[in-house]
Amino acid sequence: MKIYDVVIIGGGPAGLSAGLYAGRARLNALLIEKEKDGGQIVITSEIENYPGCLPEESGSSLVKRMSKQVETFGIERAADCVESVDFTKDVKVLHGKKSDYYAKTVIIATGAFPRPIGCEGEKDYIGKGVSYCATCDGNFFEDFEIYVVGGGDTAVEEAIYLTKFGRKVTIIHRRDELRAAKSIQEKAFKNKKIEFMWDTVVKEIGGDGMVQSMTVENLKSGEKKEIVADEEDGTFGVFGFIGYLPQSKCFEGILDLEYGYIKTNENMETNIPGVYAVGDIRVKELRQVVTACADGAIAAVMAEKYVSE
Ligand code: NAP
């Protein structure tokens, strides 16, 4: 039975950054990723808010370079999906679909994925008009029309943020009242750039390379309507904020969670010594590549200290 110094779960920027620091510290490290490296960032066509990235840098090209850099430090890799964990003893056990893994420390970098709007065509236009991150993609819609789907705190707050960019922001909500906190609602109702489309769901998104049209349905009247991009603009933005799906199922009842996100202190330590959480899976304000990478570095350094102590 091989006992690793550290096992990292997840190969997005947070996990890869943890892997880089663990490798440099000469820890006996394993990184487990169930699919391809990258997490959410691979669906981003342009990364302009990670230091050093020039306009031609895409999410997938950045991740490729990150993975290559990690490999140079010789950490082991496994393609597996962790299904359950046992953190009750000094040696932590991870039960994967294919194998079991043993570790002195564990860094969880499993991420959180935006819940898809669930309409036809959505997948085809991710990064081509459809987005789930206002901070990442808002400025691509400078002076364009923007549609925001959802009625919770995130949707309404992000819609307010997006008014910095779009000339008009329309919130499409499936009911006739918002779920968002009243204080947030008040700000949105006061904002002259924000309009509302009540009792409405998106049925289909279409276009020719970029989003150019969207079919919406009024759930009360059953009426369907096609929204077409302004001729001069040629496109518009569709931002989905209908909740996130943090990948924390196998830690429920074991780690302290808040709305499915793992609670940590500023050293990325969870409530269990030797177990760290980094990136989008942890409770935090700003979920970005730059903050994910910082989390990964901190956790790996803390894991190294834990192992040597
Ligand atoms: P949320 O509160 O779960 O809201 C999701 C919204 O999306 C709801 O309005 C919901 O409609 C709608 N929705 C869900 N599934 C849908 C579907 N299939 N089609 C169309 N619409 C759908 O999610 P969130 O806004 O991301 O917030 C998550 C948690 O973080 C919440 O507890 C929130 O309070 C918290 N949060 C707090 C702050 C803050 O305090 N500043 C900021 C952001 C988030 P219905 O209303 O009809 O269910």
Side-chain angles (χ1 to χ4, degrees):
M1 177 174 97
K2 179 165 184 175
I3 302 172
Y4 292 96
D5 290 329
V6 57
V7 171
I8 300 157
I9 315 172
L16 291 170
S17 162
L20 171 65
Y21 275 74
R24 287 181 78 235
R26 302 286 180 258
L27 291 178
N28 188 357
L30 171 75
L31 190 149
I32 304 174
E33 166 59 47
K34 64 178 175 186
E35 288 163 5
K36 277 194 204 150
D37 283 356
Q40 277 193 78
I41 190 190
V42 291
I43 60 172
T44 309
S45 57
E46 219 177 300
I47 306 276
E48 60 171 24
N49 56 355
Y50 186 71
C53 283
L54 298 172
E56 63 272 18
E57 183 88 71
S58 70
S60 58
S61 72
L62 177 63
V63 161
K64 251 187 217 150
R65 291 195 290 117
M66 284 181 175
S67 301
K68 205 168 167 195
Q69 188 183 19
V70 172
E71 276 156 27
T72 61
F73 290 100
I75 75 163
E76 280 184 45
R77 305 288 307 249
D80 203 350
C81 176
V82 175
E83 293 184 319
S84 63
V85 297
D86 180 354
F87 291 159
T88 54
K89 311 213 174 63
D90 277 350
V91 174
K92 283 117 185 121
V93 187
L94 308 176
H95 301 289
K97 235 182 204 162
K98 298 180 192 163
S99 184
D100 289 342
Y101 308 91
Y102 304 87
K104 294 176 192 166
T105 65
V106 175
I107 298 178
I108 302 163
T110 45
F113 297 93
R115 178 178 288 138
I117 298 166
C119 66
E120 265 179 57
E122 176 180 10
K123 266 194 199 150
D124 303 333
Y125 291 96
I126 294 172
K128 297 168 186 162
V130 173
S131 169
Y132 309 94
C133 176
T135 323
C136 318
D137 297 329
N139 59 341
F140 299 132
F141 298 96
E142 187 93 53
D143 218 22
F144 282 70
E145 288 195 14
I146 295 174
Y147 293 84
V148 164
V149 185
D153 287 343
T154 308
V156 181
E157 277 191 342
E158 297 305 291
I160 294 169
Y161 172 77
L162 285 165
T163 59
K164 285 186 189 188
F165 307 103
R167 64 169 181 270
K168 187 177 93 178
V169 176
T170 306
I171 295 179
I172 301 177
H173 183 37
R174 64 181 176 183
R175 291 188 294 134
D176 61 3
E177 60 173 359
L178 298 170
R179 176 184 292 279
K182 287 281 180 295
S183 58
I184 302 174
Q185 293 193 27
E186 281 163 15
K187 279 190 211 157
F189 290 138
K190 267 192 216 148
N191 193 315
K192 290 202 168 64
K193 276 188 166 183
I194 296 183
E195 292 182 5
F196 293 87
M197 222 178 245
W198 301 109
D199 303 307
T200 302
V201 292
V202 179
K203 300 299 284 183
E204 189 174 353
I205 294 170
D208 184 10
M210 287 295 288
V211 169
Q212 286 167 332
S213 66
M214 176 167 69
T215 307
V216 294
E217 183 182 351
N218 185 299
L219 292 175
K220 282 194 176 151
S221 66
E223 190 195 336
K224 282 191 182 163
K225 185 174 136 186
E226 192 179 22
I227 297 166
V228 182
D230 180 277
E231 221 168 276
E232 265 187 32
D233 297 344
T235 187
F236 55 82
V238 184
F239 285 78
F241 299 115
I242 60 168
Y244 288 84
L245 306 167
Q247 306 297 296
S248 61
K249 193 131 192 59
C250 62
F251 310 112
E252 279 172 11
I254 299 169
L255 297 178
D256 287 346
L257 304 180
E258 189 178 296
Y259 301 119
Y261 295 94
I262 301 171
K263 286 191 191 176
T264 70
N265 62 13
E266 61 180 17
N267 286 335
M268 310 303 138
E269 292 160 330
T270 66
N271 55 308
I272 295 187
V275 178
Y276 309 84
V278 296
D280 288 4
I281 190 63
R282 80 180 185 93
V283 175
K284 65 195 298 197
E285 268 296 312
L286 185 65
R287 294 193 169 88
Q288 296 279 286
V289 181
V290 71
T291 59
C293 290
D295 287 359
I298 294 167
V301 170
M302 297 317 293
E304 182 193 2
K305 273 193 187 163
Y306 182 92
V307 169
S308 63
E309 276 164 18

